[in-house]
Amino acid sequence: MPRLESCAWSCSCTARERHRTQLGDTAAGLAAKVGEMLSSSVSSPSLALVGRGARSASTSSASTTSTSTASTSSSSSSSSTLNWSQHLVQRSVVLFVVGAFMALVLNLLQIQRNVTLFPDEVISTLFSSAWWVPPCCGTAAAVVGLLYPCIDSHLGEPHKFKREWASVMRCIAVFVGINHASAKLDFANNVQLSLTLAALSLGLWWTFDRSRSGLGLGITIAFVATLITQFLVYNGVYQYTSPDFLYIRSWLPCIFFSGGVTVGNIGRQLAMGIPEKPHND
């Protein structure tokens, strides 16, 4: 009996020891898992913060680069626009002065030959011409001279035929000669004079222009200028002697055509080497 009791007691003690060991191992495993979870939860926010910091740094650098690029492009575009505007103003002033001077000289020739008659009260002492003729002709020359290269650029056909100032000066001389012939030459009738001046005007275009845009603009300018002249003469602003084409002379459209071609060549020559107007994309 005592042996049985001692064996039972020893077995119960052994079972208790095993149970305690298992509990200890389980607690140690739980503690290790909790530690791993805590370490992973601490490390993951730090990694997220580091990633966010890197992304924010790259985003800020990219935004800084794009901002600097945009500011550079805007400054270059504004400078190009300013240069283009300055060149446009300079060309307009030159064309206005040329048109006003040519109007004074050519109109003086017409008045001396009694082709054009102005009322006595509007005749000024300067070159014996009406005061409004030079400003009007100068403005028309500026518009026409700027219109020719603009149309060439719009059509995509830059005019490169005889692009030098010597050719432009010869064109001006021929135009003055045509105007001089209209006042000096005496024909049996105005029809012969008109046909002669028409041939000379077409010869001027063929010699110094030869472009479809120049021919079309010359005809358009002659048509519009003839209508305006008819209106002015009809309202008594001035008059022509021996009118044979309604209120004016039949050769006057030829003068307008050759004048448009001449001023167009001057405008094209002035526009050479000028930067094009920048476009905002």
Side-chain angles (χ1 to χ4, degrees):
M1 291 298 292
R3 289 179 180 180
L4 292 174
E5 290 177 357
S6 62
C7 288
W9 185 78
S10 61
C11 290
S12 63
C13 290
T14 303
R16 289 176 182 176
E17 290 296 331
R18 289 177 180 176
H19 183 66
R20 289 176 181 176
T21 303
Q22 292 177 355
L23 291 176
D25 294 339
T26 304
L30 290 175
K33 290 182 178 180
V34 171
E36 291 177 358
M37 293 175 64
L38 290 174
S39 62
S40 62
S41 64
V42 171
S43 62
S44 59
S46 62
L47 291 175
L49 290 175
V50 172
R52 291 175 183 174
R55 286 194 298 270
S56 63
S58 61
T59 304
S60 62
S61 62
S63 62
T64 303
T65 304
S66 61
T67 303
S68 61
T69 304
S71 61
T72 303
S73 61
S74 63
S75 61
S76 62
S77 177
S78 61
S79 62
S80 301
T81 304
L82 181 61
N83 292 333
W84 185 85
S85 302
Q86 290 177 351
H87 287 300
L88 182 65
V89 172
Q90 292 174 359
R91 289 158 53 196
S92 301
V93 172
V94 172
L95 289 168
F96 179 86
V97 172
V98 171
F101 178 76
M102 292 178 64
L104 287 173
V105 175
L106 300 179
N107 194 43
L108 174 63
L109 179 63
Q110 298 287 344
I111 292 175
Q112 287 181 347
R113 295 289 295 177
N114 292 325
V115 176
T116 305
L117 300 178
F118 288 92
D120 295 334
E121 60 270 13
V122 299
I123 296 295
S124 61
T125 57
L126 181 62
F127 294 107
S128 299
S129 177
W131 65 269
W132 51 268
V133 172
C136 291
C137 293
T139 303
V143 173
V144 173
L146 295 177
L147 186 61
Y148 265 77
C150 180
I151 295 297
D152 293 338
S153 177
H154 181 72
L155 295 178
E157 299 178 354
H159 188 263
K160 297 180 180 180
F161 180 72
K162 292 186 177 180
R163 292 295 87 210
E164 65 271 356
W165 279 110
S167 176
V168 174
M169 298 305 295
R170 288 193 294 268
C171 182
I172 295 174
V174 173
F175 169 64
V176 174
I178 292 175
N179 199 311
H180 186 75
S182 67
K184 292 288 186 180
L185 294 181
D186 294 326
F187 285 85
N189 52 53
N190 288 329
V191 175
Q192 295 179 359
L193 178 60
S194 301
L195 293 177
T196 303
L197 294 181
L200 292 175
S201 300
L202 290 176
L204 182 143
W205 167 79
W206 180 257
T207 305
F208 301 102
D209 195 324
R210 295 189 186 181
S211 65
R212 292 177 298 175
S213 60
L215 179 62
L217 282 173
I219 295 174
T220 304
I221 291 168
F223 178 76
V224 174
T226 301
L227 288 180
I228 295 175
T229 306
Q230 294 276 15
F231 178 77
L232 293 176
V233 176
Y234 176 77
N235 286 275
V237 178
Y238 66 100
Q239 60 182 349
Y240 287 90
T241 57
S242 304
D244 60 333
F245 181 51
L246 295 180
Y247 302 100
I248 63 176
R249 303 289 284 268
S250 57
W251 46 260
L252 195 60
C254 303
I255 301 298
F256 291 144
F257 175 83
S258 57
V261 173
T262 302
V263 175
N265 282 336
I266 298 174
R268 283 168 170 168
Q269 189 66 32
L270 290 174
M272 289 189 65
I274 302 301
E276 296 182 355
K277 183 179 181 180
H279 299 278
N280 295 326
D281 296 333

